[in-house]
């Protein structure tokens, strides 16, 4: 089964794919606008890292609650409420006008990303109820490719829009994308069984953690998937644009182009790797990822050389994300999917946050080159970790 056959034969997956495309494309528009806004306000490296963390922290804090909500309530109604919340919070970004309002910006980002995180977890728990086996892996890969393409196109085009027309215009475009996403979602018809209807939320949260505790392989796969959190490079890219490249190219263009090149690799990588990834080759994929990140660190002194290495850093990332996610989905009982997926996203976001704060704090102590090299070596650790659990999967 290839991607075309999957989409052609499954109209619900096809419509969900379109929804992902529109919603994700809009999300990246405001990211460039937000980081450009912070640079224009003269924000410190730590302030930038804190705002970046606000994109990630909600998934950590609400994961236990969101997992129980996903397993208990009607998925379609829940997804509609979450999309609407993202729309409202994105619209309110237009009210931010000065450095004194950064705290309001953080609140808006927190609420928006909390909704986005729960929406993502809801969708990822929905997919195994619609498709299984190889079709599930392919669906995850399509999801990753869409994320990568919209990240590339969204960041790249937004960089041009922000540079030419300003921050507010990019945010307005973002609002329009969320409106379109809601219209698309209202035309998707799916029904899935709600296994839990009377259990208390607190009991469901407790049972979810006990399930993971009693199924060690699930915990190992959650940790393995968290490796992708080491690629949370938003703060690093922003600092490089601000400190190293601003005399060469405009800051929003540097941020947009760098992210677009990396995301292009995230998008096309699976087309070359999808039929080669398996339990035996995953170790080498982890090693390649680490080498690519270290190479990026070495070449950061030159903006254009660094773009080549940035491309390599993204080439394997989507495959690591989609394959480890599929392994996790297939090793979890359906009635626990919502909670386990949410807890997985929580650990994944913790990894993102730790990486983000590591970059923000260490930027005042050592060079960005050394920071990048340290992050790259982390994938060698995960490669070794995988060799220890591979036979148990």
């Amino acid at each position: 089964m290839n991607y075309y056959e999957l989409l052609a034969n499954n109209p619900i997956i096809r419509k969900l794919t379109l929804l992902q495309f529109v919603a994700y494309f809009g999300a990246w528009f405001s990211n460039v606008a937000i980081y450009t806004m912070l640079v224009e306000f003269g924000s410190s490296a730590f302030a930038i890292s804190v705002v970046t963390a606000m994109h990630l922290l909600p998934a950590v804090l609400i994961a236990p609650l969101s997992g129980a909500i996903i397993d208990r309530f009607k998925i379609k109604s829940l997804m509609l409420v979450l999309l609407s919340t993202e729309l409202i919070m994105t619209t309110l970004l237009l009210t931010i006008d000065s450095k004194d309002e950064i705290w309001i910006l953080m609140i808006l980002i927190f609420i928006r990303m909390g909704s986005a995180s729960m929406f993502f977890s809801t969708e990822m728990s929905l997919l195994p109820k619609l498709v299984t086996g190889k079709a599930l892996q392919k669906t995850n890969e399509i999801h990753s490719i869409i994320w990568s393409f919209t990240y590339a196109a969204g960041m790249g085009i937004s960089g041009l829009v922000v540079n030419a027309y300003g921050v507010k215009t990019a945010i307005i475009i973002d609002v329009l994308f969320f409106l379109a996403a809601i219209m698309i979602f209202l035309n998707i018809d799916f029904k899935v069984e709600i296994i839990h209807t009377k259990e208390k939320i607190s009991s469901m949260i407790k049972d979810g953690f006990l399930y993971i505790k009693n199924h060690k392989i699930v915990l190992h796969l959650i940790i393995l998937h968290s490796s992708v959190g080491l690629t949370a490079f938003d703060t690093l890219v922003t600092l490089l644009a601000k400190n190293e490249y601003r005399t060469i190219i405009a800051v929003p263009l540097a941020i947009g182009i760098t992210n677009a090149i990396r995301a292009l690799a995230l998008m096309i990588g699976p087309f070359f790797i999808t039929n080669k990834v398996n339990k035996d080759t995953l170790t080498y994929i982890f090693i390649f990822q680490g080498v690519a990140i270290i190479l990026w660190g070495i070449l950061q002194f030159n903006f254009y050389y660094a773009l080549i290495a940035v491309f390599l850093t993204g080439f394997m990332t989507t495959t690591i994300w989609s394959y480890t996610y599929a392994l996790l989905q297939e090793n979890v009982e359906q009635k626990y999917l919502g909670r386990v997926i949410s807890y997985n996203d929580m650990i994944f976001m913790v990894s993102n946050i730790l990486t983000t704060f590591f970059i923000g704090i260490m930027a005042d102590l050592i060079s960005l080159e050394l920071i990048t090299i340290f992050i790259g070596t982390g994938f060698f650790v995960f490669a070794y970790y995988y060799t220890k659990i591979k036979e148990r999967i």
Side-chain angles (χ1 to χ4, degrees), residues 40 116 133 196 214 244 248 275 279 310 359 369:
E40 291 176 350
H196 301 279
N214 295 329
E244 305 293 335
I248 302 172
N275 293 324
K279 292 179 183 179
V310 164
I359 294 169
E369 174 187 348

Side-chain angles (χ1 to χ4, degrees), residues 50-348:
V50 171
V51 172
T52 302
M54 285 300 106
H55 284 81
L56 311 172
L57 192 59
V60 177
L61 298 181
I62 70 171
L65 178 61
S66 65
I69 290 173
I70 292 166
D71 279 339
R72 177 166 179 170
F73 295 102
K74 292 182 179 180
I75 288 181
K76 188 167 185 178
S77 298
L78 177 60
M79 293 175 76
L80 180 59
V81 170
L82 296 172
L83 273 177
S84 300
T85 303
E86 289 187 73
L87 169 63
I88 294 170
M89 294 302 108
T90 303
T91 303
L92 290 175
L93 291 176
L94 293 168
T95 65
I96 306 300
D97 293 312
S98 69
K99 187 176 182 179
D100 294 334
E101 297 174 332
I102 288 182
W103 66 274
I104 300 177
L105 174 65
M106 292 181 183
I107 294 173
L108 296 178
I109 292 173
F110 185 91
I111 297 174
R112 170 180 153 167
M113 295 311 298
S115 300
S117 173
M118 190 181 295
F119 183 88
F120 173 81
S121 297
T122 304
E123 188 171 27
M124 295 308 291
S125 64
L126 170 64
L127 294 179
K129 299 174 183 178
L130 301 175
V131 290
T132 58
K134 195 67 175 179
L136 177 59
Q137 181 185 337
K138 292 292 184 182
T139 302
N140 282 347
E141 289 175 355
I142 291 173
H143 182 96
S144 299
I145 292 168
I146 288 173
W147 184 94
S148 304
F149 175 79
T150 54
Y151 188 89
M155 285 285 196
I157 297 174
S158 181
L160 296 174
V161 171
V162 172
N163 188 60
Y165 303 105
V167 167
K168 301 294 186 183
T169 300
I171 295 174
I172 291 171
I173 292 174
D174 197 2
V175 170
L176 295 176
F177 275 112
F178 277 112
L179 284 171
I182 290 174
M183 296 302 295
I184 292 170
F185 181 74
L186 290 173
N187 288 301
I188 301 177
D189 184 25
F190 60 83
K191 294 181 180 180
V192 294
E193 181 184 0
I194 303 173
I195 299 176
H196 301 279
T197 56
K198 297 181 179 180
E199 290 187 49
K200 293 181 179 179
I201 293 292
S202 58
S203 297
M204 293 179 68
I205 293 173
K206 180 181 178 181
D207 287 346
F209 282 115
L210 287 175
Y211 177 81
I212 294 175
K213 179 182 177 181
N214 295 329
H215 295 77
K216 299 298 184 184
I217 190 60
V218 173
L219 178 60
H220 286 307
L221 290 172
I222 288 174
I223 295 172
L224 190 68
H225 182 74
S226 72
S227 64
V228 186
L230 293 178
T231 64
F233 294 143
D234 285 347
T235 300
L236 184 57
V237 169
T238 302
L239 291 176
L240 284 168
K242 176 186 176 184
N243 301 334
E244 305 293 335
Y245 305 143
R246 67 185 309 163
T247 59
I248 302 172
I249 188 172
V251 169
L253 290 179
I255 296 172
I257 292 172
T258 301
N259 284 316
I261 291 296
R262 176 169 169 257
L264 178 64
L266 291 170
M267 179 184 67
I268 68 174
F271 288 97
F272 293 91
I273 306 170
T274 184
N275 293 324
K276 299 179 178 62
V277 61
N278 54 53
K279 292 179 183 179
D280 295 322
T281 60
L282 187 59
T283 303
Y284 303 106
I285 291 174
F286 275 117
I287 293 172
F288 182 94
Q289 180 73 72
V291 170
I293 294 173
I294 291 172
L295 181 62
W296 180 32
I298 295 172
L299 296 178
Q300 281 173 356
F301 69 92
N302 183 289
F303 176 71
Y304 300 102
Y305 291 162
L307 289 179
I308 299 173
V310 164
F311 180 86
L312 294 176
T313 67
F315 199 76
M316 296 288 184
T317 308
T318 298
T319 298
I320 294 174
W321 183 92
S322 60
Y323 189 74
T324 55
Y325 219 126
L327 288 176
L328 177 63
Q329 289 167 318
E330 292 175 344
N331 280 274
V332 177
E333 295 176 37
Q334 282 209 2
K335 69 177 183 178
Y336 291 102
L337 268 171
R339 281 162 287 178
V340 172
I341 292 299
S342 292
Y343 303 156
N344 172 70
D345 293 343
M346 176 180 69
I347 300 302
F348 173 71

Side-chain angles (χ1 to χ4, degrees), residues 33-60:
I34 288 169
Y35 291 121
T36 301
M37 189 189 306
L38 292 172
V39 172
E40 291 176 350
F41 290 164
S43 303
S44 66
F46 183 73
I48 293 173
S49 68
V50 171
V51 172
T52 302
M54 285 300 106
H55 284 81
L56 311 172
L57 192 59
V60 177

